[in-house]
Amino acid sequence: MNSLAKSFSSSLLHYTHHKNLKNGRSLHAQIIKTGLRSNLFLANNLINLYAKCGHIIEAKTQFEEIQEKDVVSWNCIINGYSQQNPYGSSIAIQLFQQMRKENTFPNPFTFAGVFAAASNLFDSSIGKQAHSLTIKTSNCSDVFVGSSLLDMYCKSGLLSDARQVFDKMPQRNSVSWASMISGYASERNAVEALELFKLMRLEEEEGVNEFVCTSVLSALVLPEFVENGKQIHCLGVKNGLLSFVSVWNSLVTMYVKCGNLDDAVRTFELSSDKNSITWSAMITGYAQSGDSHKALKLFSEMQVVGLRPSEFTLVGVLNACSNVIAVGEGKQIHSYLLKLGFESQIFIRTALIDMYAKCGRIDDARKGFDQLQEPDIVLWTSMIGGYVQNGENEEALSLYGRMEMEGILPNELTMASVLKACSTLAALEQGKQIHARTIKYGFGLEVPIGSALSTMYAKCGNLEDCSFVFRRMPGRDVVSWNAMISGLSQNGRGREALELFEEMKLNGTNPDYVTFVNLLSACSHLGLVEKGWVYFKSMVDDFRIEPRLEHYACMVDILSRCGKLQEAKEFIESVPIDHGMCLWRILLSACRNYRNFELGAYAGERLMELGSKESSAYVLLSSIYAASDRKEDVERVRSMMSLRGVNKEPGCSWIEIKSQVHVFVVGDQLHPQIGEISAEVRRLTKQMREEGYKPVSDSNFHDISSSKQKIYT
């Protein structure tokens, strides 16, 4: 090779390293002008230049112009395509097959590109065929080939095959160790990742570098591994690895995922060289830990610093908006990501739909969903879940039906959302059909399917099937136990619910706040005042669960049902949290049942002071005053009801017959069979009267429904 060709080659390598496409093209023109375009060494360098700069089509054109290609020519184009998307990786495999047909003998760099392409395609069969060829061509002992092969098996989820390759490697480098540790991390197997990391420190003299450090840190995603993470943090300080921003990012992410937000914040603040990944990790950490307002504030600080957010940053911010129902901020982020050109990315769309749905803007969520030509299963699931979350369960079931018709296979979260819709509608038959679908699709009774099924059967009153599912679940989480306890409590089997709670504790499952709502509800139905107090105090003293409004409401209900009205009043006035009108409403209803006019009037007046908009409070208070012959107060309550525009909500009920749900609303004449239904009601009413039936009335309390007609006319 003459001096000019050497000079061109040196310049091409420089431009490739710095990805300077403009100067590289100018040099390409000079090569053509000087008649050196047939020089194989320069031609291969040009392929490499265009491939590394992301212009794979120009690289392919240059490759095809070479008359007599050598192994380097093939390696450059195969490796170039293997770094592209899955479509590019499939072309890389085709080029390798063509290379073999043309009898060009592959070398270790060829196999590295093939294994990388197989990894991108998640096609282990192609990788295994190439693996066989490396053995046949005696390339398997090469550390570069071994590391690439190892990475391919790990990314394909074949960890046992990967470990066999790793154990048989005659020589390992840091890439080999990092790849194997990352493989265990991707499968959330922190124990094996840590064991391998310890083995490396014993066997390797070169020590831990930044790649190995980030790999092992990525495996630590549970609170029980935070101490291991701190030890690796110390090792990173000792080995001077904190000069790498990737290590800082991994440390922040590790502390966040292990639930140690304070150390995550300290690590984030100590980092002097933050990039968008560092900010994304901390923003996501705040959002996942329930500090969504801090997440939004941190994003604002990121903007002030002038750092451009990545799509992952924006997903974290949208999740924060979802958590605190900040639809205004969510819309601003939507506009911002449109400006940055991120909206076409599927996970951004998913986060947007989730944000609008959780903020109650289900129509906006549906618009985003309908704009997509081919929504994937994650988007279908997010949209169905959004409908369920907003109480539009019929729409959720309808969308699931459309999904089935389009041949989209659901995942476990899809089925869990659909089952929740059936639970809310008490649609037992549809729930059974969905249960059958879960079996058809091969889903077991693990969480979340098992929990959703037991909840559905419990809420539909089918305790036999609820128990059947519950007892056959391979692993029960607190949601499963809660569903079973709630089902027993709500269906008149409170003592069994309390017994099941004792079994739950013996099983080693810690209760949550929902568990105690169910237990207190069971005590309320059973009239177990003392037992209720025991559970209420145990929740705070034994399980460190702060009482919520639901718990206070259950305690008021327990006391009220047993006639301990004065004690209930004193308890309400001692409640340390803002309870609005909920607790006074429970006491007012109980005062009616026990004919305690004085205390009922007190509770009712408290509700009036708080500006209650519920018609039932006005009706009950008016009835109490009427029973006490306090006509002026009756008129005052009625006038206040009218002045505040309070209307009685019409009653609504539904029944499922032959897989069809029939909905009935008071005064509604829209049902297609309303004539036949009304005739049958009149016939039954006449028959009841003829047989001597008389409606039960309370002479002490006067229903003001007839009086209310005067208000509305």
Side-chain angles (χ1 to χ4, degrees):
M1 185 167 57
N2 60 39
S3 58
L4 184 59
K6 286 182 179 179
S7 174
F8 284 159
S9 174
S10 177
S11 296
L12 279 173
L13 290 173
H14 176 78
Y15 296 148
T16 301
H17 178 72
H18 293 282
K19 295 186 178 180
N20 190 334
L21 184 63
K22 183 180 178 181
N23 287 352
R25 279 176 170 163
S26 298
L27 188 58
H28 188 180
Q30 290 183 48
I31 290 170
I32 295 171
K33 189 176 180 180
T34 53
L36 290 173
R37 66 188 303 174
S38 60
N39 184 294
L40 183 59
F41 189 73
L42 290 177
N44 290 341
N45 281 337
L46 283 168
I47 297 171
N48 197 37
L49 166 77
Y50 288 122
K52 291 282 177 66
C53 290
H55 286 250
I56 196 68
I57 301 301
E58 291 179 68
K60 183 73 180 296
T61 302
Q62 180 62 32
F63 172 78
E64 289 173 345
E65 287 179 357
I66 299 174
Q67 297 298 317
E68 295 184 7
K69 304 173 182 69
D70 65 359
V71 68
V72 178
S73 314
W74 288 100
N75 287 351
C76 288
I77 195 66
I78 288 171
N79 278 281
Y81 271 109
S82 71
Q83 301 304 315
Q84 304 296 312
N85 53 31
Y87 176 73
S89 295
S90 64
I91 294 177
I93 299 298
Q94 292 171 15
L95 285 165
F96 177 66
Q97 292 168 343
Q98 183 183 339
M99 173 187 178
R100 297 290 297 140
K101 287 179 182 177
E102 295 186 15
N103 294 320
T104 302
F105 197 78
N107 66 14
F109 296 101
T110 317
F111 288 113
V114 173
F115 290 139
S119 299
N120 295 334
L121 293 170
F122 299 101
D123 191 338
S124 59
S125 62
I126 293 173
K128 285 181 176 180
Q129 291 174 33
H131 185 182
S132 301
L133 193 57
T134 62
I135 297 170
K136 183 179 178 181
T137 56
S138 302
N139 280 299
C140 203
S141 59
D142 185 275
V143 67
F144 191 59
V145 172
S147 298
S148 300
L149 177 61
L150 186 63
D151 185 62
M152 184 273 296
Y153 278 127
C154 286
K155 286 182 178 177
S156 299
L158 301 172
L159 286 190
S160 59
D161 290 332
R163 188 58 191 259
Q164 286 182 37
V165 170
F166 179 82
D167 289 338
K168 291 177 181 177
M169 288 177 71
Q171 180 186 359
R172 305 185 189 107
N173 59 15
S174 61
V175 177
S176 318
W177 289 96
S179 296
M180 193 67 243
I181 292 170
S182 292
Y184 284 125
S186 66
E187 296 293 319
R188 302 176 72 89
N189 192 339
V191 175
E192 287 292 342
L194 287 168
E195 286 298 321
L196 198 63
F197 179 69
K198 291 175 185 175
L199 182 64
M200 177 190 174
R201 295 190 64 203
L202 290 172
E203 292 188 3
E204 295 295 322
E205 294 181 1
E206 64 182 72
V208 177
N209 64 13
E210 70 274 19
F211 302 112
V212 177
C213 187
T214 55
S215 296
V216 71
L217 284 170
S218 68
L220 310 179
V221 295
L222 294 173
E224 54 262 38
F225 296 113
V226 70
E227 290 305 318
N228 300 103
K230 287 181 178 180
Q231 292 172 15
I232 294 166
H233 189 167
C234 293
L235 185 66
V237 174
K238 180 182 176 182
N239 289 5
L241 298 178
L242 297 190
S243 59
F244 298 97
V245 69
S246 60
V247 175
W248 280 106
N249 295 343
S250 296
L251 284 167
V252 173
T253 303
M254 181 274 295
Y255 283 124
V256 164
K257 289 186 175 179
C258 289
N260 196 332
L261 200 62
D262 291 339
D263 282 332
V265 172
R266 278 193 286 270
T267 306
F268 174 80
E269 290 174 347
L270 286 170
S271 175
S272 58
D273 185 22
K274 303 179 184 74
N275 60 13
S276 64
I277 299 173
T278 325
W279 288 87
S280 297
M282 199 64 248
I283 289 168
T284 303
Y286 274 131
Q288 291 177 347
S289 302
D291 288 331
S292 294
H293 290 294
K294 288 184 180 178
L296 296 176
K297 183 182 177 183
L298 192 63
F299 179 68
S300 298
E301 291 176 16
M302 181 181 179
Q303 298 301 292
V304 172
V305 171
L307 197 61
R308 176 188 168 100
S310 69
E311 56 269 47
F312 305 107
T313 317
L314 294 173
V315 167
V317 177
L318 286 170
N319 289 338
C321 293
S322 302
N323 295 341
V324 293
I325 316 179
V327 69
E329 289 83 348
K331 284 186 170 182
Q332 292 174 29
I333 300 301
H334 190 174
S335 301
Y336 187 39
L337 64 87
L338 280 171
K339 181 181 176 182
L340 296 176
F342 287 143
E343 198 192 23
S344 61
Q345 300 195 29
I346 200 75
F347 51 90
I348 287 282
R349 282 294 186 96
T350 304
L352 276 170
I353 289 171
D354 184 65
M355 183 274 293
Y356 281 121
K358 285 183 177 175
C359 291
R361 302 294 291 267
I362 197 69
D363 291 338
D364 288 328
R366 185 60 187 261
K367 284 177 187 175
F369 177 82
D370 289 338
Q371 285 172 4
L372 293 170
Q373 297 297 321
E374 294 182 6
D376 68 354
I377 183 57
V378 177
L379 279 167
W380 282 96
T381 301
S382 186
M383 193 67 239
I384 290 169
Y387 275 128
V388 173
Q389 201 166 33
N390 284 275
E392 298 190 27
N393 298 290
E394 294 91 344
E395 285 291 337
L397 294 176
S398 174
L399 190 62
Y400 172 72
R402 179 183 145 193
M403 176 181 149
E404 287 271 358
M405 289 177 64
E406 293 189 16
I408 309 287
L409 290 177
N411 61 24
E412 291 179 329
L413 294 176
T414 319
M415 305 307 282
S417 291
V418 175
L419 285 166
K420 187 176 180 181
C422 295
S423 300
T424 308
L425 294 170
L428 179 60
E429 290 306 314
Q430 284 179 287
K432 285 183 174 180
Q433 290 175 26
I434 301 302
H435 188 175
R437 292 278 185 183
T438 64
I439 296 169
K440 176 184 175 183
Y441 292 129
F443 299 129
L445 292 177
E446 294 84 3
V447 176
I449 295 289
S451 301
L453 278 169
S454 59
T455 302
M456 184 274 294
Y457 282 122
K459 288 193 174 181
C460 292
N462 189 334
L463 293 185
E464 185 180 347
D465 284 337
C466 177
S467 180
F468 179 88
V469 171
F470 177 76
R471 293 298 176 188
R472 281 160 180 75
M473 288 179 68
R476 305 182 192 106
D477 63 355
V478 68
V479 177
S480 315
W481 288 96
N482 287 346
M484 194 68 223
I485 292 170
S486 175
L488 292 168
S489 173
Q490 298 299 322
N491 287 277
R493 292 162 66 175
R495 293 198 182 277
E496 291 178 54
L498 302 184
E499 290 169 5
L500 190 63
F501 173 63
E502 298 304 319
E503 183 185 336
M504 174 184 175
K505 288 194 293 183
L506 290 172
N507 189 66
T509 304
N510 285 326
D512 62 5
Y513 82 95
V514 177
T515 314
F516 282 99
V517 171
N518 294 330
L519 293 172
L520 293 172
S521 177
C523 291
S524 178
H525 291 299
L526 292 169
L528 302 176
V529 179
E530 293 305 318
K531 192 74 172 174
W533 279 118
V534 168
Y535 285 131
F536 187 79
K537 291 172 182 175
S538 173
M539 174 177 67
V540 179
D541 298 337
D542 300 333
F543 297 100
R544 301 290 185 269
I545 298 172
E546 286 296 317
R548 302 190 186 188
L549 179 58
E550 300 96 311
H551 304 112
Y552 289 114
C554 285
M555 284 309 303
V556 173
D557 193 50
I558 289 172
L559 295 168
S560 299
R561 281 175 182 259
C562 293
K564 296 179 179 290
L565 303 180
Q566 187 61 35
E567 192 176 340
K569 171 183 172 289
E570 292 169 1
F571 178 78
I572 293 171
E573 291 176 336
S574 71
V575 169
I577 65 171
D578 180 16
H579 53 83
M581 294 171 273
C582 172
L583 305 186
W584 292 114
R585 195 181 305 119
I586 296 169
L587 181 59
L588 175 60
S589 179
C591 287
R592 169 175 177 162
N593 296 336
Y594 281 95
R595 301 180 177 86
N596 190 327
F597 302 154
E598 182 181 353
L599 195 52
Y602 179 82
E605 289 297 342
R606 290 300 303 270
L607 285 169
M608 298 305 105
E609 289 172 17
L610 293 167
S612 175
K613 291 289 185 181
E614 289 195 3
S615 61
S616 59
Y618 294 88
V619 173
L620 284 171
L621 183 58
S622 181
S623 297
I624 285 173
Y625 284 140
S628 303
D629 200 26
R630 294 167 60 176
K631 294 180 181 178
E632 290 182 4
D633 286 322
V634 171
E635 289 303 321
R636 178 174 59 83
V637 172
R638 290 174 178 173
S639 298
M640 195 183 300
M641 186 177 182
S642 178
L643 186 65
R644 291 179 177 176
V646 178
N647 295 314
K648 187 174 180 180
E649 290 290 330
C652 177
S653 63
W654 59 86
I655 185 171
E656 184 181 353
I657 301 173
K658 294 182 179 179
S659 299
Q660 185 176 358
V661 178
H662 299 264
V663 181
F664 299 94
V665 179
V666 171
D668 184 10
Q669 300 291 311
L670 297 178
H671 194 281
Q673 295 172 279
I674 192 66
E676 300 169 53
I677 294 168
S678 298
E680 183 63 18
V681 169
R682 286 193 295 271
R683 187 189 69 78
L684 288 170
T685 304
K686 181 182 177 183
Q687 183 180 341
M688 288 161 64
R689 285 174 179 166
E690 288 174 351
E691 294 184 8
Y693 169 78
K694 292 181 180 179
V696 177
S697 61
D698 189 337
S699 60
N700 291 315
F701 286 86
H702 303 280
D703 189 358
I704 66 168
S705 58
S706 58
S707 303
K708 281 193 292 180
Q709 291 178 2
K710 299 175 185 176
I711 299 174
Y712 301 134
T713 56

